[in-house]
Amino acid sequence: MPTTSPRLTPLAVMVLALLREDDMHPYEMVRVLKRRRDDRMVSITNGTLYHTVGRLHEQQLVVEVGVDREGNRPERTTYSLTEAGRGAVVDWVRTQLPQNTHPDRFRVALAEAHNLDRTEVISLLTQRRDALTADLDTHLAGLGSAADRGVPDQFLVEVDRQRHLIQTDLAWTENLLTRLADPAFAWGVTEDTPPDPLGLHS
């Protein structure tokens, strides 16, 4: 078992989360991730995926469970998630979900947030909402100060754009928190949840 928390890339987290669904070989991982359009969030190539799986194996987060060959194709090693790997996904999401400084990591954390229970997700997103609110206040104060000093708008377009992005993100986060607070909004994996919710292994 690893003695320290592993440092994971967003792609590594996506691989571990995928193996929570079923054992797979890297070729199938690439196919499923691309079919789900997860390459919108991170770059996915055969080379990076195989390298990532190799690193996860070294970190004892995944384990080899079989090797198969079809025709003249190269052997394909199937991997399964270890308990350490299962915990690593949850720990990473817990760390990244309340953050508002790394949009690429947040997108992956949000995509895998269903691995946490509803109450914890609400708490983590509430922390992020508060951070966004503070960030928005800082931007508004900066823009107000710049206006008082007569700074031309041409030097403020990037700051103004960021203000709009924060406001949009904040409104979206508030809406999601409202939806999560409603028991009718299904969350997490239950006995009624199919093992492949997007139907991509059929």
Side-chain angles (χ1 to χ4, degrees):
M1 294 283 291
T3 57
T4 59
S5 298
R7 297 186 64 178
L8 301 175
T9 64
L11 178 57
V13 173
M14 293 173 72
V15 168
L16 292 175
L18 198 60
L19 290 175
R20 287 174 69 101
E21 300 176 29
D22 199 1
D23 297 345
M24 296 184 199
H25 51 71
Y27 177 83
E28 185 179 11
M29 295 177 198
V30 172
R31 182 182 67 81
V32 173
L33 289 171
K34 287 189 173 182
R35 189 172 176 184
R36 291 180 177 177
R37 296 300 311 277
D38 287 335
D39 51 354
R40 295 175 297 107
M41 296 183 283
V42 296
S43 175
I44 301 173
T45 66
N46 288 346
T48 56
L49 194 290
Y50 276 82
H51 175 75
T52 296
V53 172
R55 287 283 297 154
L56 293 173
H57 186 255
E58 291 175 2
Q59 294 172 308
Q60 302 175 43
L61 302 180
V62 301
V63 62
E64 298 178 4
V65 292
V67 178
D68 63 79
R69 181 195 295 272
E70 294 182 14
N72 295 324
R73 294 179 178 176
E75 290 183 344
R76 292 177 177 170
T77 302
T78 298
Y79 292 88
S80 183
L81 193 64
T82 65
E83 283 304 310
R86 188 176 298 275
V89 174
V90 173
D91 289 343
W92 192 91
V93 173
R94 281 180 177 143
T95 299
Q96 299 301 326
L97 199 59
Q99 305 298 323
N100 70 322
T101 54
H102 298 285
D104 56 334
R105 296 180 193 174
F106 175 71
R107 291 181 70 187
V108 175
L110 189 63
E112 302 303 337
H114 60 270
N115 290 295
L116 304 181
D117 66 56
R118 182 193 304 263
T119 302
E120 185 170 16
V121 171
I122 290 174
S123 175
L124 294 172
L125 287 176
T126 298
Q127 294 176 44
R128 185 172 189 272
R129 180 200 62 191
D130 295 344
L132 286 168
T133 299
D135 200 8
L136 178 60
D137 289 343
T138 298
H139 276 73
L140 291 174
L143 287 168
S145 175
D148 291 341
R149 289 181 286 112
V151 177
D153 287 345
Q154 63 179 308
F155 299 115
L156 302 173
V157 290
E158 190 281 327
V159 180
D160 187 55
R161 173 183 180 273
Q162 187 63 19
R163 170 179 65 89
H164 281 280
L165 291 176
I166 296 170
Q167 287 175 323
T168 300
D169 197 352
L170 185 56
W172 179 88
T173 302
E174 290 279 15
N175 179 261
L176 178 58
L177 285 169
T178 299
R179 295 168 70 196
L180 284 167
D182 182 356
F185 182 67
W187 187 261
V189 177
T190 67
E191 293 182 356
D192 297 327
T193 304
D196 180 28
L198 297 184
L200 296 175
H201 288 277
S202 56

